[in-house]
Amino acid sequence: MNSNNVRFNEEGLVPAIVQDVRTGDVLMLAYMNEESLQKTIETGETWFFSRSRKELWNKGATSGNRQTVKQLDIDCDQDTILIQVESAGPACHLGTATCFTRESNDDLRRQRTIVQEVAKQIEKRKQS
Amino acid sequence: MNSNNVRFNEEGLVPAIVQDVRTGDVLMLAYMNEESLQKTIETGETWFFSRSRKELWNKGATSGNRQTVKQLDIDCDQDTILIQVESAGPACHLGTATCFTRESNDDLRRQRTIVQEVAKQIEKRKQS
């Protein structure tokens, strides 16, 4: 993906949905300006633009919970980015796995995670 | 969820991520104002606010590809909604399953879908 394809809004921002590549869980939504998108593409880690602090931030720079970019896509009208990542730890600053955590959601998440673990085991056995 | 908990932006909108409840695929991102969020909660179908046409729209009213709401959540800072749905058809107006379709993404999607199908079969056999 190239940042030239992206339609930034009047504030120069585009929403970026961050999804766990393995489980499919939606981890968070944050905003990127052109510079943070460039840095994300160049470094392979997520960089966003903080609307409150008016500055770039590298997810996990403080907490260690970095996100490694596995896939970067743009939607059909080029104004939303979807980033699939491997996350080194919880995505939310509150310490929960995702920013959308609540109990009933955890059940869905747990189901998908178990299913992924089973799939990984099957894949491993096939290869050994 | 209650629309009182939501922090709408200065245009009175909040981004809503729509996710397939079964596969975990991110289908689309659209915007809601308070009225469309209320209608979504009341009807159990997704309603959005079109920023270009400045009007409410009920997803699938024209195409038939309605989205039935299974779960509605808000993120930690209350400015993004995550809606898990069952979709009657393709989410994208281009006829593709999601608005983020491209080939490499399809591979990830196919893997998750196969895994879900296997899990469903196992569940069925357990129950019979």
Side-chain angles (χ1 to χ4, degrees):
Chain A
M1 207 185 78
N2 188 305
S3 67
N4 294 335
N5 303 333
V6 179
R7 284 172 54 209
F8 294 95
N9 68 15
E10 58 286 351
E11 295 165 284
L13 301 177
V14 65
I17 303 166
V18 183
Q19 183 178 32
D20 185 304
V21 70
R22 194 170 60 83
T23 62
D25 294 339
V26 174
L27 302 177
M28 56 186 277
L29 181 136
Y31 293 84
M32 288 183 165
N33 63 359
E34 190 166 356
E35 192 185 352
S36 60
L37 176 55
Q38 289 287 8
K39 282 182 95 77
T40 299
I41 293 169
E42 283 164 24
T43 64
E45 286 189 0
T46 52
W47 283 81
F48 303 102
F49 183 80
S50 164
R51 293 172 303 164
S52 52
R53 299 194 310 274
K54 310 277 179 215
E55 60 179 24
L56 293 193
W57 56 288
N58 175 210
K59 174 72 187 164
T62 312
S63 65
N65 301 328
R66 292 176 190 274
Q67 296 172 334
T68 306
V69 177
K70 299 313 241 180
Q71 175 102 15
L72 203 69
D73 285 292
I74 188 135
D75 72 343
C76 52
D77 51 5
Q78 295 166 285
D79 63 2
T80 305
I81 290 174
L82 175 62
I83 311 177
Q84 310 222 26
V85 302
E86 273 177 12
S87 186
C92 188
H93 70 290
L94 300 175
T96 50
T98 89
C99 290
F100 300 91
T101 301
R102 60 171 223 188
E103 265 182 50
S104 49
N105 231 353
D106 279 352
D107 287 343
L108 287 175
R109 194 166 296 133
R110 207 171 301 127
Q111 276 174 30
R112 284 204 288 261
T113 307
I114 290 169
V115 159
Q116 290 294 332
E117 287 303 323
V118 171
K120 254 172 59 184
Q121 288 300 326
I122 294 171
E123 196 53 40
K124 254 193 206 161
R125 284 182 198 178
K126 261 205 247 168
Q127 286 167 357
S128 65
Chain B
M1 207 185 79
N2 189 304
S3 67
N4 293 336
N5 303 333
V6 179
R7 284 171 54 207
F8 295 95
N9 68 15
E10 58 285 352
E11 295 165 284
L13 301 176
V14 65
I17 303 166
V18 183
Q19 183 178 32
D20 185 304
V21 69
R22 194 172 60 82
T23 62
D25 294 339
V26 174
L27 301 177
M28 56 187 278
L29 182 136
Y31 293 83
M32 288 182 166
N33 63 0
E34 189 165 357
E35 192 185 353
S36 61
L37 177 56
Q38 289 287 4
K39 281 183 96 79
T40 299
I41 293 169
E42 282 163 26
T43 64
E45 286 189 358
T46 52
W47 284 80
F48 303 102
F49 183 80
S50 164
R51 294 173 302 166
S52 52
R53 298 194 310 274
K54 309 277 178 215
E55 60 180 25
L56 293 194
W57 58 286
N58 174 210
K59 173 73 188 164
T62 313
S63 64
N65 301 327
R66 291 176 191 275
Q67 296 172 336
T68 306
V69 177
K70 299 312 239 178
Q71 175 101 15
L72 204 69
D73 285 291
I74 187 133
D75 72 342
C76 52
D77 51 4
Q78 296 165 284
D79 63 1
T80 305
I81 289 174
L82 175 63
I83 311 177
Q84 309 221 25
V85 302
E86 273 176 10
S87 187
C92 189
H93 70 290
L94 300 175
T96 49
T98 90
C99 291
F100 299 92
T101 301
R102 59 169 224 190
E103 265 183 48
S104 49
N105 232 352
D106 278 352
D107 286 343
L108 285 175
R109 193 167 296 131
R110 207 171 300 128
Q111 275 174 30
R112 284 204 289 261
T113 307
I114 292 169
V115 159
Q116 290 293 331
E117 288 302 323
V118 171
K120 253 171 58 185
Q121 289 301 327
I122 293 171
E123 196 54 38
K124 256 193 206 158
R125 284 183 198 176
K126 259 204 247 166
Q127 285 167 357
S128 64

